[in-house]
C-alpha cells in the first residue's frame, strides 16, 4: 500500500520532493492496561511506518533538487515522567524522533534535510477529540500553527537538518510575534494554553525567553509611536 501510494504520487506529479510523516497511533495507558495488539499497532504505525515511508520514498528524494523529510514527533526528553505512565506510547513516539536523527545523518550526503516538529501547546484535532473532551477546553490552539511552522521548516536550507523542533519556537524565531491567531478560543493568553507533553525545562525556558523578547520589542515599538 505504501509503495503504491508513492508510485501514484510520482505518476501524478512527476516527482516527489517532500515526505511528511504524520500518521500516528495513540493509546495512553500503563503497561498493565495496554493490550499487546495496541502496543503492536503503535509501534507498527509510529516507528515502522515512519521508517518504511521514508525508505520507499528515498529513491525519489535522491532525485529531487530540494528534498525534505518532516516527521511529527517530540523532542527526546529522557525524564522518567514521560515513561512511567504510558511507556508503550512514549517509546513509539520516540522511535520516530530517533529516526529523524538517524536519517538526518544517513541522508546528509544526498542533501536531504530531515527534521521533526512538535506542538508546544495541545492542538485541537479529530484524534484528540477521540480520546478526550478537548472540544470543551478553551485553552487549545488550532492546527494552523503546525501548518505554518511546517512550511517554515520546509523552506529552510538543507543544512538545517537533524533538529527536533517546537512549533512556537520555529515561528517566533522566524519573526512571528503574535500567537493569538492560533487560539482555538479568541482572547486566550499564551500563558493560559494547555501545554503538550515531552517538553523539557530547557524547552520551556526557550519559549519564555522568546515571548519576553517579543513583548519587549512590541512595547518599544509602541513607545516610538
Amino acid at each position: 500500500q505504501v509503495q503504491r501510494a508513492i508510485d501514484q504520487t510520482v505518476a501524478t506529479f512527476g516527482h516527489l520532493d517532500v515526505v511528511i510523516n504524520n500518521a500516528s497511533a495513540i493509546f495512553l495507558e500503563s503497561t498493565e492496561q495496554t493490550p499487546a495488539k495496541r502496543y503492536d499497532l503503535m509501534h507498527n504505525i509510529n516507528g515502522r511506518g515512519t521508517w518504511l515511508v521514508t525508505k520507499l520514498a528515498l529513491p525519489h528524494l535522491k532525485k529531487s533538487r530540494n528534498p525534505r523529510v518532516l516527521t511529527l514527533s517530540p523532542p527526546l526528553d529522557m525524564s522518567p515522567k514521560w515513561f512511567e505512565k504510558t511507556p508503550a506510547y512514549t517509546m513509539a513516539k520516540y522511535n520516530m524522533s530517533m529516526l529523524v536523527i538517524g536519517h538526518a545523518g544517513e541522508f546528509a550526503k544526498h542533501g536531504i534535510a530531515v527534521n521533526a516538529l512538535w506542538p508546544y501547546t495541545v492542538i485541537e484535532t479529530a484524534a484528540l477529540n477521540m480520546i478526550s473532551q478537548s472540544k470543551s477546553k478553551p485553552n487549545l490552539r488550532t492546527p494552523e500553527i503546525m501548518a505554518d511552522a511546517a512550511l517554515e521548516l520546509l523552506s529552510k536550507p538543507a543544512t538545517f537538518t537533524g533538529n527536533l523542533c517546537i512549533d512556537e519556537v520555529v515561528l517566533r524565531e522566524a519573526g512571528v510575534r503574535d500567537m493569538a491567531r492560533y487560539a482555538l478560543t479568541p482572547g486566550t493568553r499564551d500563558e493560559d494554553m494547555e501545554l503538550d507533553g515531552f517538553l523539557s525545562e530547557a524547552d520551556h525556558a526557550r519559549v519564555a525567553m522568546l515571548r519576553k523578547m517579543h513583548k519587549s520589542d512590541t512595547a518599544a515599538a509602541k513607545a516610538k509611536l
Side-chain angles (χ1 to χ4, degrees):
Q1 290 181 338
V2 175
Q3 185 66 68
R4 185 163 61 250
I6 290 175
D7 291 343
Q8 289 177 349
T9 298
V10 175
T12 301
F13 299 101
H15 54 87
L16 193 158
D17 302 308
V18 176
V19 169
I20 297 182
N21 292 306
N22 182 40
S24 185
I26 183 171
F27 192 74
L28 302 176
E29 292 292 347
S30 65
T31 297
E32 187 174 20
Q33 297 299 321
T34 300
K37 64 178 182 179
R38 287 288 185 176
Y39 177 96
D40 291 341
L41 178 66
M42 286 191 289
H43 284 263
N44 281 337
I45 294 177
N46 299 6
R48 185 178 184 276
T50 296
W51 176 84
L52 183 60
V53 171
T54 305
K55 171 185 171 63
L56 296 181
L58 185 58
H60 303 287
L61 291 173
K62 289 165 69 174
K63 297 176 184 177
S64 173
R65 288 183 290 181
N66 195 33
R68 298 288 185 270
V69 176
L70 182 62
T71 298
L72 272 61
S73 62
L76 291 171
D77 181 21
M78 292 298 155
S79 173
K81 66 182 179 180
W82 305 126
F83 294 88
E84 60 191 17
K85 293 182 179 180
T86 58
Y89 174 67
T90 297
M91 290 169 58
K93 291 303 295 186
Y94 278 21
N95 278 344
M96 298 171 72
S97 299
M98 288 189 288
L99 283 169
V100 167
I101 296 173
H103 285 161
E106 183 181 358
F107 304 155
K109 60 182 177 288
H110 302 301
I112 302 172
V114 185
N115 294 290
L117 181 63
W118 191 249
Y120 186 67
T121 68
V122 176
I123 306 296
E124 196 271 336
T125 64
L128 184 64
N129 289 331
M130 289 175 61
I131 62 172
S132 72
Q133 299 299 317
S134 63
K135 286 185 176 179
S136 64
K137 296 181 179 179
N139 54 343
L140 307 179
R141 283 178 174 161
T142 64
E144 280 72 19
I145 188 171
M146 289 289 284
D148 288 350
L151 180 59
E152 180 64 31
L153 286 178
L154 294 172
S155 301
K156 289 183 177 295
T159 52
F160 187 87
T161 187
N163 300 284
L164 306 177
C165 305
I166 297 172
D167 59 354
E168 184 170 338
V169 172
V170 170
L171 291 174
R172 286 191 180 278
E173 290 185 344
V176 180
R177 287 171 166 75
D178 183 16
M179 297 292 138
R181 72 185 76 175
Y182 303 116
L184 180 63
T185 302
T188 305
R189 302 183 305 171
D190 289 341
E191 51 267 37
D192 292 332
M193 291 291 178
E194 182 176 347
L195 301 182
D196 211 323
F198 306 121
L199 300 167
S200 67
E201 291 305 315
D203 294 326
H204 294 308
R206 191 175 183 187
V207 170
M209 178 193 71
L210 289 169
R211 287 178 177 180
K212 183 177 181 181
M213 183 186 308
H214 286 171
K215 284 183 179 179
S216 297
D217 291 345
T218 301
K222 289 182 178 180
K224 292 181 181 180
L225 296 178

